[in-house]
Every structure is written in C-alpha cells, then in structure tokens.
Amino acid sequence: MSTVEKKRSLLVMRHSPYGSSLARATIDLALAMGAFDQDFDLLFMGPGVLQLVKDQHSEQLGLKNAGKILSSLPLYDMEAVYVDATSLQRYGLAEQDLVLPVNVLDSTRLPLFLNDCNHVLSC
C-alpha cells in the first residue's frame, strides 16, 4: 500500500493592512481557502507582519480591523502561521504584539521552509 504525501500550500502575506486593497483581498482568500477545507499555512513577510498587530485602530480609516479578522482564522482549520523574523525586527515587533500565535522563521530557516512547500501563492 503506498502512502500519499500531503501537499503543502503556503499563502504569503506581504502587504501592509491598510495601504491598498491587496492585504484585504489576501485575507479574503485565506478565509475562502479555509471555508473550502483547503489545507494551508500562512507566512507574513515585510509590511505584511503589520496585519498581525494587536489593537489596530482601523475605524479611524473607516476600514475593518485586519487583526480581528485574522484572529478568526483558527476557526477555519488553518494549519499554521509563520512570520519572518527579520520583518518583525524591522518593525520593532515581538510575538506577544501579535493577534495569533506564530512560528518565527529566521534567515536560515526561511529559505528551507519556502523550498519545502509544494504550492506558494504570494500576495
């Protein structure tokens, strides 16, 4: 009997939460993937890490709070959330500043992690 290796899908979030509609579109994609039982991981890089910051005050911009929306992703059986350590450092953030538990990938582990994925969608 042969075993089927599970394919690993990764959705890379690269945009700041409120600068354009790209971040919101990517969040909507993650929600849709979860709603249709797609197994996937999320990776936040660059300005994308700002989507995970607690206590965002987006109502001043007339927009929905990205952090609140992302905090609901575990309800959709999302596999795991990863964050680029360099990006966290660049924005002066620590894991406790984020709305979700994350796995931090340093500059050594990040390329290996990306190489291990079967499908990568970067938005």
Side-chain angles (χ1 to χ4, degrees):
M1 187 168 148
S2 67
T3 60
V4 177
E5 182 180 323
K6 179 181 168 187
K7 294 199 182 252
R8 186 173 190 176
S9 296
L10 178 68
L11 183 56
V12 182
M13 313 284 251
R14 294 180 178 264
H15 296 281
S16 61
Y18 308 112
S20 72
S21 62
L22 291 172
R24 179 54 200 232
T26 309
I27 292 170
D28 289 343
L29 176 60
L31 293 170
M33 289 174 70
F36 287 100
D37 295 323
Q38 300 295 309
D39 292 327
F40 66 99
D41 296 329
L42 286 174
L43 170 63
F44 291 83
M45 299 181 72
V49 300
L50 298 173
Q51 294 182 47
L52 293 170
V53 175
K54 290 180 184 175
D55 301 323
Q56 298 176 28
H57 298 287
S58 61
E59 64 279 351
Q60 296 171 356
L61 299 171
L63 299 170
K64 291 184 180 179
N65 185 312
K68 284 184 183 177
I69 297 167
L70 288 168
S71 67
S72 71
L73 282 174
L75 301 172
Y76 292 86
D77 294 327
M78 176 197 49
E79 294 293 312
V81 176
Y82 296 88
V83 176
D84 171 35
T86 303
S87 299
L88 283 180
Q89 185 179 31
R90 180 180 305 133
Y91 292 101
L93 297 171
E95 290 180 59
Q96 61 268 20
D97 299 325
L98 308 178
V99 296
L100 290 170
V102 297
N103 301 293
V104 179
L105 299 171
D106 62 26
S107 60
T108 304
R109 291 179 48 216
L110 182 58
L112 299 171
F113 174 77
L114 289 169
N115 192 49
D116 191 39
C117 295
N118 299 93
H119 304 284
V120 177
L121 178 58
S122 179
C123 302

